[in-house]
Amino acid sequence: MTPLVVGGSAHPQLTQQLAQALGTVVHPMEVEVFPDGERTVFLREAVTGCEVVVVQPTQQPAGEHLLELCLMCDALRRGGARRITAVVPYLAYARQDRRETGREPLGARVVAEILASARIDQLICVDLHSRAVEGCFLEPVSHVSAAPLLAERLKNFTGNSVVVSPDLGGLKRAEAIARPLGIPVAVVHKQRLSGDAVEARGIVGDVKGRHAVLVDDIISTGGTLVAAAQAVIAAGAQPRITVAASHGLFAGPALERLATLPLERVLVTDSVPPPKSTPFPLEVVPLSKALVEALNR
Ligand code: R5P
């Protein structure tokens, strides 16, 4: 039986595309924001006994989108929905997957607790910052990798290219893209100085004379990509850069920062709504087919 598809305010276009790919239409629901900033949702039709797919990535404002997701799930559950699958292509706070000093929260675990309180049955996410985040959830988590979709778009890359991970944590992700393309991998030794400042300390791998493809999970402020691109060009890579990332958040100064780079192409998925315009060529890779496959599994 085709599930009902419901979406919040975070990404109506993806909700629409997913419903279409499932051969249905979006179930009518309204989101209302009160003057004091509180939100509520209203289901226009009954959901009793239904299996429901709720689509809501949690990009900026992350807290509002997360709460809206919980409100939708509560309305569905109280309305008698039989089963709720939350499709959260970009899961905020997943970068807080470990404690460095012992004096900070485990943000990913906190978000998992919040979603558990919303009584979801299953979660579908795309490229979580690390697979360890799955362990924060008691509910089953289906993890969709964008690597095959991004690699498909890069299939014309030749042996004179190199896939570069801008930090050690992203090495496996970079390998997942480099392997089908048959090109080598290099990795930048990154040091994070603050939320929006990073420093490249060195490169492992051969980038000299090669066209670098920087692969990352998230483009947030762009600091990581700028540091990595500058480092590979300084190490002799061609002065043109291609970027492939799962989540294009483009927060704060990202667009201005990235405008300083010789970017040939930037590929992101539609896990969050893309910016209306960018100072570089942006290609948005649709996720709906891969999400439907995950739902069918
Ligand atoms: C960090 O571990 C992530 O994989 C990304 O590299 C990071 O979140 C990107 O953030 P920004 O664009 O702000 O440097």
Side-chain angles (χ1 to χ4, degrees), residues 95 129 167 190 192 216-224:
R95 279 180 286 182
H129 182 57
D167 54 34
K190 171 177 110 175
R192 183 165 282 287
D216 208 349
D217 57 338
I218 303 168
I219 305 174
S220 183
T221 67
T224 300

Side-chain angles (χ1 to χ4, degrees), residues 56 58 66 69-70 73 84-97 106-143:
Q56 179 90 331
T58 52
L66 183 65
L69 171 61
C70 294
C73 293
I84 300 175
T85 300
V87 176
V88 187
Y90 170 68
L91 181 71
Y93 291 88
R95 279 180 286 182
Q96 294 183 31
D97 56 359
L106 197 50
R109 169 77 187 151
V110 173
V111 166
E113 294 276 5
I114 292 170
L115 287 178
S117 74
R119 293 181 290 157
I120 61 165
D121 294 292
Q122 192 197 355
L123 180 67
I124 297 181
C125 292
V126 177
D127 285 338
L128 286 166
H129 182 57
S130 76
R131 293 300 291 259
V133 173
E134 279 184 44
C136 295
F137 290 85
L138 291 177
E139 303 77 15
V141 178
S142 289
H143 189 259

